[in-house]
């Protein structure tokens, strides 16, 4: 069974630029999550989708971050404009049942 | 907002020894508990889940849960150098869907 796919794996941008990340969950997993992990910290949930509906986006900085999950499968997370403090690893995870979560390889974002 | 606290590392153990990792959580209503392993530069990997009080064993790993004390632990028996990683405790409440992670404990197994 293929795991969670993410792209790109690495991205370097300047502050105030925009960036987008893509995630393809494990086939059949209805729940999809985006996390931000800053070095030395645990992952922090940004947004959770159930199929193509948003379950929780309470920690998503909505003035600059947006996310969508079209057709209940793939998802994109966008940052516009980026700030220095957005430098982190962005992790996508999916779950078959809302309990065990399986993570993709992540995208390491550096904002200069 | 659930808080999840893990014992600060790093934790260094000799090969073959038992590594003991601890985690406490603030939300008494939490129902589901998970341990993830994260190698340096990699993403978290689920290694254990536990939902009921008591012990759950899977190979060299044993998770222990005490809901009354709001405490969950992970024991790694016969530690191997390949166990060297950061271990993340994650807690899920019954009233929301959010998984809250601790900051992790870094384990180093000395050969």
């Amino acid at each position: 069974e293929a795991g969670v796919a993410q792209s790109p794996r690495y991205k370097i941008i300047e502050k105030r630029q925009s960036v987008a990340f893509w995630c393809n969950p494990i086939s059949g997993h209805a729940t999809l999550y985006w996390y931000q992990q800053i070095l030395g910290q645990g992952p922090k949930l940004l947004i959770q989708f159930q199929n193509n509906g948003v379950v929780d986006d309470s920690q998503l900085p909505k003035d600059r971050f947006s996310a969508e999950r079209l057709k209940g499968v793939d998802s994109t997370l966008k940052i516009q404009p980026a700030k220095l403090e957005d430098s982190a690893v962005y992790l996508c995870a999916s779950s078959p049942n809302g309990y065990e979560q399986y993570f993709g390889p992540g995208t390491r974002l550096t904002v200069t | 907002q659930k808080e999840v606290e893990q014992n600060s590392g790093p934790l260094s153990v000799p090969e073959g020894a038992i590594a003991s990792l601890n985690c406490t959580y603030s939300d008494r209503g939490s129902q589901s508990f998970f341990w993830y392993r994260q190698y340096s530069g990699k993403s978290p990997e689920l290694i254990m889940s536990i939902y009921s009080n008591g012990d759950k064993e899977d190979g060299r790993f044993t998770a222990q849960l005490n809901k009354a004390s709001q405490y969950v632990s992970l024991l790694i028996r016969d530690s191997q150098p390949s166990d060297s990683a950061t271990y993340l405790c994650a807690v899920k409440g019954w009233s929301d869907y959010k998984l809250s992670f601790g900051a992790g404990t870094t384990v180093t197994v000395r050969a």
Side-chain angles (χ1 to χ4, degrees):
Chain A
E1 179 181 72
V4 177
Q6 288 188 249
S7 67
R9 294 294 310 279
Y10 305 91
K11 191 73 176 179
I12 301 173
I13 61 172
E14 295 182 351
K15 60 184 179 182
R16 291 187 291 274
Q17 287 187 324
S18 63
V19 64
F21 312 127
W22 173 83
C23 173
N24 185 254
I26 294 172
S27 178
H29 285 197
T31 312
L32 184 147
Y33 313 80
W34 283 102
Y35 288 89
Q36 180 193 60
Q37 187 175 24
I38 293 172
L39 189 64
Q41 299 181 18
K44 183 185 85 170
L45 180 69
L46 294 174
I47 189 168
Q48 177 181 342
F49 292 94
Q50 179 74 18
N51 296 308
N52 58 350
V54 175
V55 173
D56 188 326
D57 64 357
S58 58
Q59 298 187 98
L60 186 74
K62 298 180 186 65
D63 58 334
R64 299 185 300 107
F65 286 63
S66 64
E68 60 181 7
R69 189 182 185 195
L70 299 176
K71 301 179 182 178
V73 182
D74 294 15
S75 178
T76 57
L77 175 70
K78 297 179 182 178
I79 307 175
Q80 182 178 10
K83 293 184 175 181
L84 295 176
E85 58 260 37
D86 298 332
S87 294
V89 176
Y90 290 84
L91 296 163
C92 180
S94 69
S95 175
N97 54 19
Y99 288 88
E100 295 86 11
Q101 296 185 23
Y102 301 91
F103 286 84
T107 296
R108 185 175 299 276
L109 174 67
T110 302
V111 182
T112 63
Chain B
Q1 178 77 21
K2 297 187 290 293
E3 291 187 2
V4 181
E5 300 287 338
Q6 297 186 239
N7 50 331
S8 59
L11 178 65
S12 181
V13 299
E15 186 173 356
I18 296 175
S20 178
L21 307 173
N22 303 318
C23 173
T24 58
Y25 57 95
S26 62
D27 182 0
R28 185 169 290 278
S30 298
Q31 294 293 316
S32 307
F33 308 87
F34 307 89
W35 284 98
Y36 285 81
R37 177 176 62 199
Q38 187 170 27
Y39 292 114
S40 181
K42 302 295 185 182
S43 60
E45 173 192 10
L46 180 65
I47 56 172
M48 288 287 284
S49 59
I50 186 166
Y51 304 100
S52 303
N53 280 330
D55 295 358
K56 179 181 179 182
E57 188 175 313
D58 184 359
R60 296 185 295 108
F61 297 99
T62 299
Q64 299 174 318
L65 175 61
N66 183 326
K67 291 183 181 179
S69 299
Q70 295 176 237
Y71 174 91
V72 59
S73 67
L74 180 70
L75 300 178
I76 308 174
R77 293 185 304 280
D78 187 24
S79 295
Q80 300 297 308
S82 59
D83 296 326
S84 296
T86 296
Y87 290 81
L88 298 164
C89 173
V91 175
K92 184 177 187 299
W94 72 273
S95 59
D96 65 33
Y97 300 95
K98 197 177 302 181
L99 194 62
S100 295
F101 284 84
T105 300
T106 298
V107 174
T108 300
V109 180
R110 310 186 302 270

